[in-house]
Amino acid sequence: MTEDQPLPEGHHILVEAEEFDDFGGWTLDSQFEAEMGSSYLLAHGLGVPVADATTTIDVDAAGTYRVWVRAKDWVPSHHPGRFAVSFDGERLPVELGANGQDWGWEHVGRIDLASGPTRIALTDLTGFDGRCDALYLTTGDVEPLNGIDPETRSWRRRLRGLPHEPVDGGTFDLVVAGGGVTGSAAALAAGRLGLTVALIQNRPVLGGNASNEIGLTPRGETGPLVEALSARHEDGDLAALDLLRAEPTVSVFLEHQIFDVARTGDRIASIDARDARSGRETRFHGAIFIDCTGTAILGLLAGAETMFGYESRAEFDEPLAPENRVESHHGNTVFFRTRQADQPTDFPDVPWAVDVAKDYANLGGQLERPGIDNAPGPVAGPARTPDPSIRRRMLSPLTHFWEYGHDLDPYTDAEHIRDHLLRAVYGTFSNVKTLEPETYANLALDWVGHVPGQGEFRRYKGPYVLTENDIREHTRFDDTVAWNSGAFCLHYPGHEMYDFRLRDWKWDTRDDIPFEVPFRCLYSADVDNLMMAGKHISVTHIAGSVTKFMGNGGQHAIATAAAAKVCLEHDATPAQVLVNYLEELQETVTKLSGSVGHPAGLPR
């Protein structure tokens, strides 16, 4: 169906769940839009049914409407995420999320609707992550389109009355993709240099893995700018948004998912982003682009060369590299917290979760609060006397030991990875309470994140690829624009019994002295106006295990913001800046952070 084709005969109403008037206890989940086609509402009640989500629609024409609901049965063998739909208090008989199917439309019956306002409610039946994408009401016989292809997107736009083409979002000196610590640092540094900046972030908050959705503390080389934006309010949220809104030339666009890029020759001309709540698409033009997403999304959409997986030892002669190339990556982690309630608390039977957790009964590795991770937790049964053959380091209560997805595609399997980790946490919690019911009668789940801490994705290929040996040997570069610090942090999956736990972990502090990052690692080798900062700069997997730290990414961000300023002043590409204006770039970085020079001059 193209934009100019008429809709099938009859009356049609598409109600996107993310546009409900009142989410009740449901949560907007927009992180998997690229793989399943939309934002959706998630009933994330930790085993306690959440309050109804409600909305009122205006029915133009009275009639008998067929009702379809797009939902997902996220554990098909057990159906833990069931919910019901009501119209003006009349509940339809079908329980959604129980048909054994992945995302798809389910016909739930017919209903007579009068013209005028009609109230719709989503009623969670379990508290275990039921999910609703949309409702489709039609007096016709044509089934709704299911997918993420252009035809389906066109169909949704037409039913919602949205423009066919993205609306103009403006032209900026700099467009920053991704609003984690790295992207926030790039936008803040560029704003302080006087550039007009659009910061495009796909979450409702800034900070990425440091945000109050996840809660890690930036590590590596931080410095005053990163420390200022990552300071926390009482609710755990970062100061980043306040600081950016105080910059008159910086515009922040939250909950906007980038989905397309337009190129003119070897340059990016614009990017398109979709608002998670309204579905409205906006086009942002820019002179310079910095990718701080961690996923290399701009490069993938623009056709830039990227790298993935563990390079073999022979490729770069790295001592920590595996003998043979491995198509794997660091996985994702779901963070959680338990508490002791004032009275006994029940927890439902969760055989679908214990299937994953098996007999695991150690709730160590909690997030005590945003910024305080690696906390201990309740332990029950045999887990109190762990297997002596297990390495002592793997008995530490570290949050990232809960990790999954290393061998799955982080772009297309992200929802499955998150869901598997939810099952691991729920199942482990159930095991602890079941094994020692008297000891843990009052134990309750206080919080389980529905947004996982993200691991590793693709990395850009720049003119230079930083390696383990460069870091160990402190290679000196004429084009150094940042200093990074920290240990090689390598995760090894493949636990014999529990696939959601690491088998081993290496924390190699080397000599614990900061090392240099050259400018050639911070811009694309084949897209002229595209730079990058954060975990996906031009590094090997081994080198990336230390440059990935959020504080380190902040230093890349400051350097690329400075480079954007120099590029604009001289109408130059980053490659031309390297050749003709390197000293000016390094001076600009020094003014922003003081980081170009000897490590002793770094802010610590």
Side-chain angles (χ1 to χ4, degrees), residues 130-334:
R131 49 202 79 179
C132 178
D133 171 17
L135 296 89
Y136 176 61
L137 287 64
T138 178
T139 58
D141 295 322
V142 177
E143 296 185 6
L145 299 183
N146 184 53
I148 60 174
D149 54 275
E151 182 181 10
T152 302
R153 295 233 182 251
S154 169
W155 175 78
R156 289 199 182 215
R157 277 196 300 268
R158 299 197 61 205
L159 286 169
R160 299 176 76 179
L162 296 172
H164 169 42
E165 293 291 336
V167 299
D168 184 14
T171 300
F172 300 85
D173 293 329
L174 174 65
V175 176
V176 178
V181 166
T182 299
S184 298
L188 186 58
R192 291 178 175 177
L193 289 171
L195 305 186
T196 58
V197 183
L199 175 61
I200 316 299
Q201 163 70 331
N202 63 357
R203 303 302 308 150
V205 292
L206 297 177
N209 281 353
S211 74
N212 60 4
E213 291 188 317
I214 299 168
L216 295 177
T217 295
R219 292 185 175 134
E221 208 61 49
T222 54
L225 187 142
V226 170
E227 290 169 1
L229 65 85
S230 56
R232 294 190 185 276
H233 299 303
E234 283 196 15
D235 64 357
D237 200 8
L238 303 185
L241 187 59
D242 296 334
L243 291 174
L244 287 164
R245 284 178 171 165
E247 292 294 330
T249 62
V250 176
S251 300
V252 179
F253 299 87
L254 298 175
E255 295 187 283
H256 277 69
Q257 177 63 54
I258 295 167
F259 67 90
D260 202 5
V261 162
R263 281 181 59 159
T264 301
D266 291 330
R267 300 175 64 90
I268 295 177
S270 63
I271 64 172
D272 293 341
R274 186 178 297 111
D275 184 345
R277 292 179 184 260
S278 69
R280 188 178 181 85
E281 298 172 353
T282 304
R283 180 163 294 160
F284 300 91
H285 294 83
I288 303 292
F289 294 81
I290 304 176
D291 190 337
C292 302
T293 61
T295 65
I297 185 63
L298 296 190
L300 296 178
L301 292 171
E305 185 177 359
T306 58
M307 303 176 288
F308 186 72
Y310 294 55
E311 291 82 8
S312 69
R313 191 168 303 156
E315 288 181 70
F316 292 95
D317 194 30
E318 295 177 303
L320 289 178
E323 183 175 350
N324 298 309
R325 166 175 281 276
V326 178
E327 295 298 320
S328 185
H329 54 90
H330 286 182
N332 292 351
T333 296
V334 161

Side-chain angles (χ1 to χ4, degrees), residues 28 34 159 176 269 322 341 347 518 524 602:
L28 177 65
L159 286 169
V176 178
F347 192 67
S524 169
L602 280 170

Side-chain angles (χ1 to χ4, degrees), residues 215-217 219 335 365-375 397 399:
L216 295 177
T217 295
R219 292 185 175 134
F335 297 91
Q366 300 193 21
L367 185 79
E368 184 177 316
R369 64 178 186 274
I372 306 295
D373 55 355
N374 299 332
T399 53

Side-chain angles (χ1 to χ4, degrees), residues 463 479-482 517-523 531 559-560 563 567 573-575 577-578 582 585:
D479 61 331
T480 294
V481 289
V517 178
F519 182 47
R520 286 166 293 159
C521 292
L522 304 184
Y523 62 90
M531 291 184 282
T560 53
C567 285
T573 65
V577 167
L578 175 72
L582 179 59
L585 168 59

